Every structure is written in structure tokens, then in C-alpha cells.
Amino acid sequence: MRLHRLEVCAFGPYAGREVVDFDALGADGLFLLHGDTGAGKTTLLDAVAFALFGAVPGARGQVKRLRCDLADADTPTEVVLELTVQGHHLRIVRSPEYERPKRRGEGYTTQPAKASLTWLSPPPDGGTAEAVTRIDEVGRIVERLLGMNAQQFFQVVLLPQGEFAKFLRADTTEREKLLERLFGTERFAVVEQWFRDLRAERRAELEHRRSGVRDWVARLAQVAGEEIPEDPDRDWVVMLQRRAVAEVDTARREESDARLAWEEAQARLQERRAAAERLRRVRAAHTRLAELEQRSEERVRWSTELEAARRAATVAELVAEAEAGEEQYDREVAEEEAAARICRELGFTELDLDVAELRDRAGALREEAGGLSGLVDQAQRQHADRQRLDVLDKLIADDKERIAIVQSKLDGLPERVGELLRQRELAVEAEAKLEGVRAKEAELTALLVDAEALPELERELEDARAAENTAFAAYNEAKQALLDLRERRLAGMAAELAAQLAAGEPCPVCGSEQHPEPAVATDDAVSEDEERVAAEREAEAERRRDEATAKRYEAQRRRDAAAQRVGERRVDELAEELAQVRDERDRLGEHAGKSEAFAASVEAAKKEEQSLMAERASCERSLSENEAERSLLAERIAERERALAEARGEFPDVSARRDHLLALGRAVDRLADARTAVSVAGRQRDERRRSIAEAARRAGFASVDEALAAARPSERIAELERLITDADAEEAAARGVLDEPDLAGVSPDDELDVDSAEAAAQEAQKRSETAVAAVHAAERTARELNTLAQRFEAALAELEPVEREFAELDALTDVVNGRGQNARRMSLRSYVLAARLEEVAVAATARLRSMSQGRYSFVHSDAAGSRGTRGGLGLDVLDDYSGMVRPAKTLSGGESFLASLSLALGLADVVAAETGGALLDTLFVDEGFGTLDSETLDVVMGVLDELRAGGRVVGLVSHVEELRQRVPTRLRVRKSRSGSTLVMGG
């Protein structure tokens, strides 16, 4: 990779546009970039990194404030880099995101980040020569061409000898952090964490299985009623099972004895109860016979009453029939009186006629009514004709009204047809314009929504930025807290190891079995749990920081998209224009889509005219016909009315007179029938009275009243029969009981004791039931113990291989993480870092021996640290003058610069070889030359001369005065109140 040209505009301290011509500066292969402190020397290196990767190295990249505060509002912030990579000549232009004043109104708006890559030579692999404008795609192309990412580029092009100066003086922990950042060994840390996570998962699984075994032990002890032993095993479970079997046998023997005793008590109780039942029956029979003897007189009265009631039953039945006949006679008399009253009401006064004469008069009335039937039909026809006359009058009026309405519609049709034709023309014109107006309305609506949303999107962006800054601050705070805790824990690691010492056991650090003065933990000692909690908090803060950054990017994207769509148009302008377009849309909408309807309306109007003319002719024909029919009908009604008036007489109509005659005939017939029924009923009443007196005499009663007094209802007769029958049956049953053979010799005065036998039987039953329950409990306990023992055995069988597997995983995890059987106390990550450090040390030793004139060489050590701390990252120097290995911390300032520069150059060689990236034709060395004396500086310049061999360009960034005399090609950075500027050869 060779740099040709760099342009910076409003970037860092540079307010205007400044140009660096690397082709001119690198003509001799070595140039000096110098200037006052804070003028912006390092900013030029940041500009190169920003152009390539969109980021700057170190802490400066976390601030994300790259725009010059002194630049004009209209001056854009951008970096232009022209370079050649792997034979491809290209130009990269990048602009960061920054705030600029709004062109309209007050306040600021965010200028989004941009990037573009232009091929100045044919692109690789025959790709298209079009410019690339997507930020992510530009980044991928740069990384693919360079063969390294941003972090690796910062290591090999912008030599970080400052970082390696810290590295030389750092302890193992700090040195590990620096190497991790340089070599990116996070994947090995992931492997270590994977082993730890897997061990934690398997430990939890193992503990779960152990807990299951403990649960089975607890349940075994609970079922057996035993305390849990200190070390429960299979023998303990077998002992519980055997004891449960013995308890079952004992319970069964006791239950058998109790059951036999209960059966004997039950037999004695049954004998006592049978004897008591015989005694009870004898006593009950004697008691019932005594009660029946006391009621003998009452039984005689029942028999006498029953015999008299049976003789009087016939007389009572005849009296009941006679009473019914008297009621019938009274009803017939009442019917005769009612019929006579109806005849008087109908005007019939000849009530003294006999039955035959009354029937003759009724026949004559019916014949007279029959003669009026024909006139009744005429009266009904007269009524129908009058109704038809009213209907014709209404039809004639309706025809005249309808003819007038149809004529009025025919008169207004020509004007309506003309109006419909005009409306159709307006509708056709509106349809042609409406679609364009709607499209414009949709466009303006979307623009108005974007314009109105811009303030809210601005506020959301500001909130997102504030949240992002807060998240960054919280992450930095959590990270610093974690680093502090780890430093404190490492400081107290000796006390933590000392806490694990035991008398008589060797020390894991020195191996001694004597521990005279073990380290003591201080008050601020940090535990592993506290360190883990801090690490979790740092990870959570990092996650929230990433989320806040993503939200800020999304808010900015939405705001920029809306601003780009709206442009310079204001909300009020868009709203006014939209209102005008909507008014136009509403006006056109009233007419659009109605052309076909109006055309159909014109056609319908013509058809309506034809229909109305036909309807008018029809109405005129109907009017003529109805008027002719009415004239004929009126003449018939008048002629019929004269005949009906003569026939109805004094009645309202002929039908009323006929109905009166028929009703009077029916009333006379009813009177004749009633008189006949009264005569018959009187004769039957006299005959029944004679029959009742004769029946009483034959039944043995002196009079009818005496017979009625002896009569009883059927219910009483049935009751008497039941009482007599029941008494006889009870007496026979009682005597039958006393005659039974089983009761022979039983006296009602005997005494028996049943209660004592019942008490003894109940007590024996309780003992038997208790024994049965004890058997069931013992059997249940034995079954449960057998089941639990099987499950306990299964749980043990499952636990044993898991414990063996976990022991193996636990030991392997300790080895991977630098503990346990790992004698060097090196984790996998430390082992990889040690290998990388050894490669860097080998490459850096060649540089250091040259720059120190053969005095110093790097010595890498993978031995464990003191007191059992992790090792593998030791880096000392071999002093050839004394032949001793010295700690790097003992080097002087100039020697430290030589060592750190050697490490930086060695790292550049290793990383470049590892990544297989592009040949790096341009390197920068930043500061540190002020610590060298003249002779050493000569040696260093000689090494740098070797670096520029083969066309490589080396840029020195320093303000050391002596370098100005040694390096003829210079680029000076001047700072002022208006911003920094560049001067070639200054």
C-alpha cells in the first residue's frame, strides 16, 4: 500500500482544506512531520485511518467529534485519500456525521455520514468501474484489498511504540490485556468461557442428580420412620427392607388372633339376640291379647252398626234417586217460565193455549218467515251494489287525478332532459381531471406528514444521542470498575491462596509444608464473586451501549430520510397547497363517475315519456268504462229499494223482520216442549215417593226417617269392616305366636343380658380392625420401601457416570483456565498470547540488537509467576555487556524507546506475515525520539533507512529539533486561532 495524496477539510484542527502530497514527501523515502504540540500532527494520521476505515485509533475514536469547531458553517467536513493497493489506484472520500446550522430557520440539523470509492485504474477481478457509495461496501473493499482490519492496520502502519512502552513496564495482567488488544485472541477467551460455562452447566446437572438421590433418601427415611444417616448407602436401604418384612409378618399374626376372638364374640352375641327376640315376641303377644279383651264391647258396637247400615242401604239409594227427581222437576218448571217470558218479550200474548195449539202457531210463524227469504237475498245484493257504487266513485276520482299527474309530468320532461345532458358533459370533464388531482393529493399528504414529523424526529434523535452518551458513560464506568476490582483482587491473590493452606500440606507456590507467615487479606480484598458480578455489569452496560447506538442510528436514518423528502418546503406552505388540492378534488369528485348515470337518466327520461303517454291513454279508457257502469248500477239500486221498503214494514230491513218471525216460532216451540216435560216429571215424582215407603217397611224400619238414620256412607261401612277384620286378625296372630314350638317354655317374666355381649363384641371388633389396619400399614410401608429402593438404586446408577464425567471435565477446565494440574498456571488464551509474544520477541530482537549495537536482546519466559500466579508472558532483556538478564523496567528512557520501537516493528512484521495483507509501502513512527542521544539517534536513523529500502516511505512524527537537521524533507503543521495549516519544507 502506498499513499499518494491526502486532503482534509474542516477536520480536527484544520478549518480549511489542506493537502498532503505523499508522492513529493516520499521522494527520498523519509520525511518528517513536525509542529507545535497540539497543532494537529497526529490528526493527519487519524485522517488516513478515517478515510480507510471510517474510524480513528485509540481513545480519540470513542469521542466521535471530528469536525473542526472553527470551520465555516457552509464548509463540509471530509477527508480525501488517494492511494495504490495491490496495483489498484483508487480515491476514497469520507465525511463523518456532524451537526450543522439549518439553512432555514434556527437550530441545528445532522449531516449524515457519507463515503465513496472511485477506481482510478481498472477495478480488481474485472468488476464495474462505477463509484461505490455505500459506507459498508466501501469498508469491505478496503479490508479485502489491505488484507487486514482497522485494528491490525493501526498496529502495522501507525506503529504503536507508545503502547509497547507501557507493555515493557506492565505486570502480567496488564501485559495480557495489551496483547489481547493487539492480537485479538477473543476466540480463545470464548473457548475458556465455554469450558467454564459447560462445567457450570454440568455441575448444576450433577447437583440436580445428587439432589434427586438425597430426595429418595429422605423419602426412604420418612416412610421407614428413621433418621437420615450420615452416609446412606445400599446396605442401609437393604436393612430398611428386611425390617419392614419382619414387621409385616408380626402384624399378620396379631391380626389372625384378633379376628378369631372377634368371631367368637359375634357368635355369643347372636345367641343372646335370638333369645331376646323370642322373649320380645311372647311379651308382645300377651300385651296385644290384653288390649283386645279390653275393647270387646267396642267391637260389639261396630258389628251392630255395620248390620243396620247394610239394611238401610237400599232405602238410602231410593231417597237419593228421589231427591234427584225433585231437582229435575224444579228445572222443568223453571224452563217453562223462561220460555213464557221470552214469548212475551217477542210480542206473543196467547200463552194460555194448550200444547197442540202452541205447535200450530209456531208452524204458521215459520211459513211466514220462509216467504221473506227471497227478499232477504235482494237486500244483500242491494248492499253489495251500494258498495260497488262507492268503489266506482273512488275509481273515477282516481282516474281523473292520475290523468292530471301524468299530464304534468309530460309537460316537465323536455326541461329535465336538457339539464341531464348538461350534467353529463360536466361529469365527463371531471373524470378526466380527477386522477391527476388525487395523485398530487397523495404526494402532498406524504410530504406534509414528513414535514410535521421532522421536529419530533429531531427530538427523538437528540434523545437517542443523549441516551447513547449516557450508555457510553455507564459502560466506561462499569469497565473501569471491573478493571479496578481485578487489580485489587490480583493484589490480594496472595491472601486468597494463603486461605487455602492447611497444616502439613505443601504450599502450591513454594512447595513447603511449613507456613510461618501466610498472607492476610486486607479490608478491601475482592472475592471471585464480586469480580464476576462486576464483569456481568460491564457486559450488560456494553449491551445497553450497543442498543443505544443502534437506536441512535435508526433515529438519524429516519430523520435524514424525512428531511431529504421534504427539502426546503415549510409545513404551512404544504398545508395550504394540500387544502387547495383537496378542494379541487372534492369539486371534481361531485361530478366524476356520473357520466354514465346521466346518460342512463336521459334514456330513462325518454322511456318515461312513452310510458306516461301509454299510462294516460289507459287511465282515460278506465274512466270511460267506470262512468258507464256507475250509471247502470244507480238505476238498479233505486228500483230494488222500492220493493224492499214495502216488505220490511216497521223493521229496519227485510232480514230483521224474517229473523224476528223465526225467533218467535222457536220460542213458541220451546214453550210447548217445556209444558210437556213438566207434566211427565210430576207423574214420576209421585211414583218414587210410594216406592221409598214400601222399601223401608220391607227392611224392618218403622219409617223412612228411621232407615235414613241407620244409613252410613260407604267410607264408614268400609272402615267398620276393616276395624272388625283387623281386630280378629290381630287376636288370631297373637294366639298363633304363643302356639309356636320355638316359644314353648318362654315366660314373659324371663330376663336376658344382651348389652354385655354387645360390648364384648364391639371391643373384639375394634381390636380386629386395628390389627387389619396395622397389617395394611406394614404392607404399604414394605411396598413403598421396595419401590423407593428401586428408584434409589436407579438414581445411584445414573449419578455415578455423571460424577466421573464431571470430574474429568472439571480437571480439563482447570487446565484450560490455568489452574489445577496446569503447572505453568497458563490459560489457553495466555498460552496463545505467549506464543505470539515469542514470535514478536524473535522479530523484535533483530531490530533491538541493531539499534543497541548488539548490546540488548529480548528474552521470553513462559515460567509461572511468583506465588502461583499465571505466567507465560514474561519479557526481559539480555544485557550482552554483563551477560545478565534484566527486567525491562530497568532500561533508561532512550533504551525503552529503542525497545518499544523494536517491538512495534517486530509486531508489524508478524501481523503483516500473519494476515497475508498487501505490501505496506508507507509507515509512520509517532514521537519518542527526544529520549535518544546523538549516537543512538544515528543508529535508529540507520534502522529507519533500512525500512525505506525497496521503495518504502517512512514518516516520522516528532517535534525534536535535531531531526529537522537530519531529515531534509519536512511537512510543518502551524496552529493559529483560525485553525491549523500545512507548510511544505517548513
Side-chain angles (χ1 to χ4, degrees):
M1 180 195 75
R2 177 177 292 277
L3 306 181
H4 299 295
R5 179 182 178 87
L6 174 68
E7 296 182 21
V8 293
C9 182
F11 187 85
Y14 301 99
R17 182 174 295 274
E18 302 295 332
V19 179
V20 179
D21 189 349
F22 286 108
D23 288 338
L25 287 174
D28 293 335
L30 184 68
F31 68 91
L32 175 65
L33 178 61
H34 68 100
D36 297 334
T37 301
K41 302 184 295 296
T42 305
T43 302
L44 294 177
L45 307 184
D46 291 345
V48 173
F50 177 75
L52 291 172
F53 298 100
V56 297
R60 299 183 300 278
Q62 300 179 1
V63 178
K64 296 184 179 181
R65 183 180 177 86
L66 301 179
R67 179 172 171 79
C68 179
D69 295 332
L70 303 175
D72 294 337
D74 297 332
T75 301
T77 298
E78 67 177 6
V79 176
V80 181
L81 178 64
E82 187 177 328
L83 70 160
T84 297
V85 183
Q86 296 186 6
H88 301 289
H89 194 187
L90 62 148
R91 179 188 297 113
I92 302 174
V93 180
R94 278 191 192 267
S95 296
E97 177 188 283
Y98 61 90
E99 301 288 332
R100 63 169 177 80
K102 293 182 178 179
R103 293 187 175 90
R104 292 179 178 271
E106 300 179 353
Y108 288 83
T109 184
T110 301
Q111 184 71 24
K114 295 185 295 184
S116 67
L117 185 150
T118 304
W119 299 102
L120 303 180
S121 65
D125 300 330
T128 177
E130 295 180 358
V132 180
T133 57
R134 289 184 53 179
I135 296 178
D136 56 345
E137 189 173 354
V138 171
R140 286 195 297 270
I141 293 175
V142 170
E143 288 191 12
R144 186 170 65 251
L145 290 175
L146 292 177
M148 63 185 72
N149 56 29
Q151 188 64 34
Q152 293 168 334
F153 177 82
F154 299 155
Q155 296 167 7
V156 301
V157 177
L158 311 177
L159 296 180
Q161 69 273 16
E163 294 284 345
F164 280 97
K166 297 179 185 178
F167 180 82
L168 290 173
R169 297 176 175 84
D171 56 18
T172 300
T173 301
E174 295 176 350
R175 189 170 293 168
E176 183 178 16
K177 294 177 182 178
L178 289 172
L179 289 174
E180 284 180 351
R181 186 165 64 251
L182 292 174
F183 288 108
T185 57
E186 293 82 0
R187 62 185 182 278
F188 299 103
V190 171
V191 173
E192 296 175 12
Q193 185 63 42
W194 180 84
F195 272 100
R196 291 195 296 271
D197 293 342
L198 181 61
R199 179 172 62 180
E201 179 183 347
R202 296 298 171 81
R203 178 181 283 115
E205 179 183 355
L206 176 62
E207 185 58 30
H208 175 71
R209 294 185 180 276
R210 287 174 175 173
S211 175
V213 173
R214 290 194 294 270
D215 290 342
W216 293 123
V217 169
R219 293 185 62 182
L220 281 166
Q222 180 183 6
V223 171
E226 293 284 333
E227 294 291 334
I228 299 176
E230 293 183 0
D231 188 16
D233 54 8
R234 292 181 174 86
D235 295 337
W236 175 71
V237 175
V238 172
M239 181 271 292
L240 293 179
Q241 290 178 290
R242 290 175 178 174
R243 189 176 64 184
V245 171
E247 291 176 353
V248 169
D249 294 339
T250 301
R252 286 175 177 172
R253 288 193 300 271
E254 293 177 353
E255 188 272 337
S256 178
D257 296 340
R259 186 174 66 255
L260 290 175
W262 177 48
E263 291 174 353
E264 293 175 357
Q266 283 290 105
R268 287 192 296 272
L269 177 60
Q270 292 299 327
E271 292 177 359
R272 294 280 182 90
R273 285 177 176 174
E277 177 61 20
R278 291 193 296 272
L279 179 60
R280 184 194 64 76
R281 292 178 64 194
V282 169
R283 288 176 178 176
H286 282 286
T287 301
R288 189 56 183 160
L289 288 174
E291 291 176 354
L292 291 174
E293 183 64 27
Q294 292 176 357
R295 297 173 59 186
S296 60
E297 294 180 358
E298 184 179 11
R299 292 169 64 186
V300 171
R301 287 195 301 272
W302 290 345
S303 299
T304 302
E305 183 181 358
L306 178 61
E307 188 271 335
R310 287 173 175 171
R311 287 188 290 110
T314 302
V315 178
E317 292 176 358
L318 292 174
V319 171
E321 293 177 359
E323 290 176 352
E326 291 290 339
E327 293 177 357
Q328 179 65 27
Y329 177 78
D330 293 339
R331 287 195 296 273
E332 298 297 345
V333 171
E335 173 64 17
E336 180 184 6
E337 293 175 352
R341 184 176 63 257
I342 293 174
C343 288
R344 285 193 296 270
E345 291 175 354
L346 293 176
F348 185 75
T349 58
E350 303 175 62
L351 301 176
D352 295 334
L353 298 175
D354 57 21
V355 174
E357 293 174 336
L358 288 174
R359 294 194 185 281
D360 291 340
R361 290 290 295 166
L365 291 172
R366 284 194 293 272
E367 290 178 0
E368 185 178 359
L372 296 176
S373 297
L375 292 176
V376 170
D377 295 338
Q378 291 294 323
Q380 293 176 352
R381 182 61 184 169
Q382 182 78 346
H383 178 68
D385 288 347
R386 288 186 183 278
Q387 291 180 340
R388 176 59 182 168
L389 188 65
D390 294 337
V391 171
L392 290 173
D393 289 339
K394 186 176 184 306
L395 290 175
I396 291 170
D398 291 343
D399 289 339
K400 292 179 178 180
E401 181 181 1
R402 185 59 186 165
I403 290 172
I405 293 173
V406 170
Q407 188 60 44
S408 64
K409 290 182 179 181
L410 288 172
D411 295 340
L413 271 178
E415 182 179 355
R416 182 153 66 93
V417 170
E419 177 63 21
L420 289 173
L421 291 173
R422 188 181 66 82
Q423 292 292 337
R424 179 177 177 275
E425 293 175 357
L426 292 175
V428 172
E429 181 181 0
E431 290 172 357
K433 296 180 179 180
L434 183 59
E435 189 63 30
V437 173
R438 284 177 176 168
K440 187 173 183 181
E441 178 195 7
E443 177 184 358
L444 290 173
T445 301
L447 288 176
L448 181 59
V449 170
D450 289 338
E452 291 175 342
L454 271 177
E456 179 63 25
L457 292 175
E458 293 283 355
R459 286 192 295 272
E460 291 179 359
L461 180 58
E462 293 298 329
D463 295 342
R465 284 176 176 158
E468 183 182 20
N469 293 334
T470 302
F472 266 99
Y475 169 69
N476 293 333
E477 182 179 352
K479 186 174 183 181
Q480 186 60 43
L482 175 60
L483 294 176
D484 293 342
L485 284 175
R486 284 178 175 170
E487 183 176 358
R488 286 165 52 197
R489 183 162 184 253
L490 289 173
M493 187 61 71
E496 185 174 337
L497 292 173
Q500 302 175 0
L501 295 176
E505 295 184 1
C507 174
V509 178
C510 63
S512 174
E513 297 182 356
Q514 303 295 325
H515 317 299
E517 296 181 359
V520 180
T522 59
D523 295 336
D524 61 347
V526 177
S527 65
E528 184 178 357
D529 292 339
E530 291 176 331
E531 181 182 2
R532 185 179 66 257
V533 171
E536 292 173 355
R537 290 175 180 170
E538 188 263 348
E540 177 64 19
E542 182 178 10
R543 184 186 64 77
R544 293 180 178 174
R545 180 201 64 184
D546 295 340
E547 289 180 356
T549 301
K551 290 180 180 178
R552 195 264 301 164
Y553 279 132
E554 177 61 18
Q556 181 175 347
R557 184 191 64 76
R558 293 169 54 198
R559 192 281 317 275
D560 292 343
Q564 183 177 5
R565 289 191 296 269
V566 173
E568 304 298 333
R569 307 178 76 172
R570 299 197 307 272
V571 174
D572 54 350
E573 295 175 351
L574 290 171
E576 181 179 358
E577 187 176 355
L578 179 60
Q580 293 174 357
V581 171
R582 284 176 174 170
D583 292 340
E584 178 67 12
R585 180 207 62 191
D586 294 340
R587 185 184 66 80
L588 294 175
E590 293 177 357
H591 300 285
K594 297 181 180 180
S595 61
E596 294 182 0
F598 283 129
S601 297
V602 172
E603 185 65 24
K606 294 179 180 179
K607 292 181 179 179
E608 182 182 1
E609 181 179 11
Q610 297 175 357
S611 176
L612 289 174
M613 292 177 68
E615 183 179 359
R616 182 181 63 182
S618 176
C619 290
E620 289 174 349
R621 287 193 302 272
S622 176
L623 176 60
S624 177
E625 293 173 356
N626 289 333
E627 286 178 345
E629 182 181 357
R630 185 188 186 286
S631 177
L632 293 174
L633 187 60
E635 292 178 1
R636 285 201 303 268
I637 289 174
E639 182 180 352
R640 190 184 296 119
E641 181 62 28
R642 288 190 293 270
L644 291 174
E646 181 180 355
R648 66 174 173 264
E650 59 184 3
F651 292 92
D653 52 33
V654 176
S655 178
R657 184 183 178 192
R658 189 193 67 168
D659 292 341
H660 172 75
L661 293 174
L662 292 174
L664 182 57
R666 288 192 297 271
V668 173
D669 280 337
R670 178 181 177 184
L671 179 60
D673 293 339
R675 285 183 178 176
T676 301
V678 168
S679 176
V680 173
R683 290 194 299 270
Q684 292 176 348
R685 178 190 62 182
D686 296 339
E687 181 64 27
R688 282 192 294 270
R689 287 177 180 177
R690 289 191 297 270
S691 297
I692 291 171
E694 180 62 24
R697 184 183 61 77
R698 285 196 303 270
F701 295 102
S703 64
V704 175
D705 293 336
E706 182 181 354
L708 293 176
R712 296 289 185 271
S714 59
E715 293 83 0
R716 177 58 181 170
I717 293 173
E719 180 183 5
L720 290 171
E721 291 174 347
R722 180 181 58 78
L723 290 173
I724 294 171
T725 302
D726 291 346
D728 294 342
E730 289 178 2
E731 181 179 3
R735 295 190 184 280
V737 169
L738 295 177
D739 294 338
E740 292 180 2
D742 292 344
L743 301 182
V746 179
S747 173
D749 298 329
D750 293 344
E751 295 292 338
L752 291 175
D753 183 9
V754 181
D755 294 339
S756 61
E758 288 182 348
Q762 290 176 356
E763 182 64 25
Q765 182 181 4
K766 289 181 180 177
R767 288 195 299 271
S768 178
E769 291 174 350
T770 302
V772 170
V775 171
H776 291 167
E779 291 175 347
R780 183 173 59 254
T781 300
R783 288 195 303 271
E784 291 181 359
L785 285 176
N786 290 334
T787 302
L788 293 175
Q790 293 174 2
R791 295 180 178 177
F792 173 75
E793 179 64 28
L796 282 180
E798 294 176 357
L799 176 63
E800 291 170 352
V802 174
E803 286 183 331
R804 291 193 298 270
E805 181 182 353
F806 177 76
E808 181 180 353
L809 175 63
D810 187 37
L812 181 57
T813 302
D814 285 341
V815 170
V816 171
N817 285 272
R819 299 185 181 90
Q821 301 175 12
N822 190 333
R824 295 183 181 275
R825 300 301 185 203
M826 291 176 62
S827 65
L828 177 63
R829 179 177 44 181
S830 299
Y831 180 80
V832 174
L833 291 176
R836 294 297 178 87
L837 179 59
E838 186 174 6
E839 294 177 3
V840 173
V842 171
T845 295
R847 306 285 189 184
L848 180 58
R849 290 187 62 82
S850 176
M851 286 188 282
S852 64
Q853 299 178 356
R855 180 177 180 182
Y856 293 113
S857 302
F858 284 113
V859 178
H860 170 251
S861 173
D862 59 0
S866 61
R867 297 185 179 180
T869 58
R870 288 185 295 179
L873 300 181
L875 188 65
D876 299 324
V877 292
L878 173 63
D879 189 346
D880 191 59
Y881 288 1
S882 63
M884 301 294 292
V885 176
R886 294 166 49 189
K889 296 180 180 179
T890 62
L891 296 176
S892 65
E895 292 170 340
S896 296
F897 171 75
L898 296 178
S900 61
L901 180 59
S902 299
L903 284 173
L905 293 172
L907 173 67
D909 295 338
V910 171
V911 172
E914 177 185 348
T915 60
L919 180 63
L920 303 176
D921 296 325
T922 305
L923 297 176
F924 294 93
V925 182
D926 189 3
E927 293 296 350
F929 297 97
T931 60
L932 305 178
D933 55 28
S934 299
E935 183 178 357
T936 304
L937 184 59
D938 289 337
V939 175
V940 172
M941 293 301 295
V943 174
L944 296 177
D945 283 338
E946 294 177 2
L947 291 177
R948 65 178 179 173
R952 181 178 290 178
V953 177
V954 179
L956 306 180
V957 183
S958 178
H959 55 272
V960 176
E961 183 65 29
E962 188 175 352
L963 287 177
R964 300 183 191 177
Q965 308 300 325
R966 292 175 176 267
V967 182
T969 304
R970 298 183 296 276
L971 179 64
R972 181 178 180 183
V973 183
R974 289 181 177 177
K975 67 177 180 180
S976 65
R977 289 184 173 274
S978 60
S980 298
T981 57
L982 299 178
V983 178
M984 185 71 176

